[in-house]
Amino acid sequence: VDDLQELSRVESRAYQLDIHPVDFSSIVQTVAKRLAPQAESKRISLNLELPPDLAQILADEDRTIQILTNLTGNALQYTPEGGRVTISARQVSEEVQISIRDTGPGIPAEHLPHIFDRFYRVDKSRSRQAGGGSGIGLTISRALVEAHGGGLSAASAGEGQGSTFTIRLPAAGG
């Protein structure tokens, strides 16, 4: 119910964004620290690849943490024990591109166009009771990224090839 209420608020834009220049590297550090126990419990290597001169982003810090926590948490959930999740960032023109790559099962090509649809599941057997979520976390994340004037996309070379989720957010001063 909480997830549905959050989705309703996000889709109707019934929330305020406090957008200002934010140090993305510190957000990544916060999220990595928060998710470290989940990674450690599955012996997953959580790697950060952040350039020292990364531009600040124009964003709401709390909502950006929410987005990154959701995407990284999903990557950790679907990556098998002993795998790897990498968060990287780079500036491209007037935006910062953030990627969350995993060594999980990947996403079959026919599912990629639908994974941001509410309640869509690639693996229909993964109910909430079986360790899946509500099926709307990616929908919420995409709506929040778009509310920042950015974009969220997913890519996978196919089953067994891992997945990459890429967030594009405006760079501060850009």
Side-chain angles (χ1 to χ4, degrees):
V1 172
D2 290 339
D3 288 344
L4 287 173
Q5 289 176 332
E6 174 74 359
L7 178 61
S8 177
R9 278 191 300 276
V10 167
E11 287 185 335
S12 67
R13 300 254 174 135
Y15 59 90
Q16 293 276 320
L17 288 178
D18 179 20
I19 294 183
H20 58 276
V22 175
D23 178 12
F24 183 71
S25 295
S26 70
I27 288 176
V28 173
Q29 297 291 341
T30 298
V31 170
K33 186 182 291 186
R34 183 178 292 171
L35 295 176
Q38 183 181 350
E40 291 166 9
S41 72
K42 290 179 70 178
R43 295 185 358 212
I44 294 173
S45 172
L46 182 55
N47 304 310
L48 308 180
E49 296 176 354
L50 306 170
D53 60 345
L54 186 64
Q56 290 187 318
I57 58 172
L58 282 175
D60 179 301
E61 187 168 358
D62 292 337
R63 291 300 190 160
T64 304
I65 289 171
Q66 178 183 356
I67 295 162
L68 197 60
T69 299
N70 180 43
L71 296 174
T72 307
N74 281 353
L76 291 169
Q77 179 178 344
Y78 291 105
T79 297
E81 188 167 317
R84 195 172 57 257
V85 172
T86 304
I87 302 172
S88 61
R90 63 190 180 120
Q91 184 165 357
V92 178
S93 189
E94 304 298 318
E95 63 186 18
V96 174
Q97 292 183 354
I98 303 105
S99 294
I100 297 100
R101 293 187 317 272
D102 65 54
T103 57
I107 303 168
E110 67 270 16
H111 294 287
L112 279 170
H114 306 288
I115 61 167
F116 295 103
D117 296 349
R118 59 169 67 189
F119 308 119
Y120 190 82
R121 292 180 189 284
V122 172
D123 182 350
K124 306 300 182 200
S125 68
R126 284 191 68 89
S127 68
R128 190 167 177 82
Q129 293 76 21
S134 62
I136 59 176
L138 291 177
T139 308
I140 291 170
S141 292
R142 178 178 254 182
L144 287 172
V145 169
E146 289 174 352
H148 281 83
L152 173 59
S153 59
S156 177
E159 291 187 65
Q161 302 295 308
S163 303
T164 302
F165 285 80
T166 302
I167 305 164
R168 296 177 331 281
L169 292 171

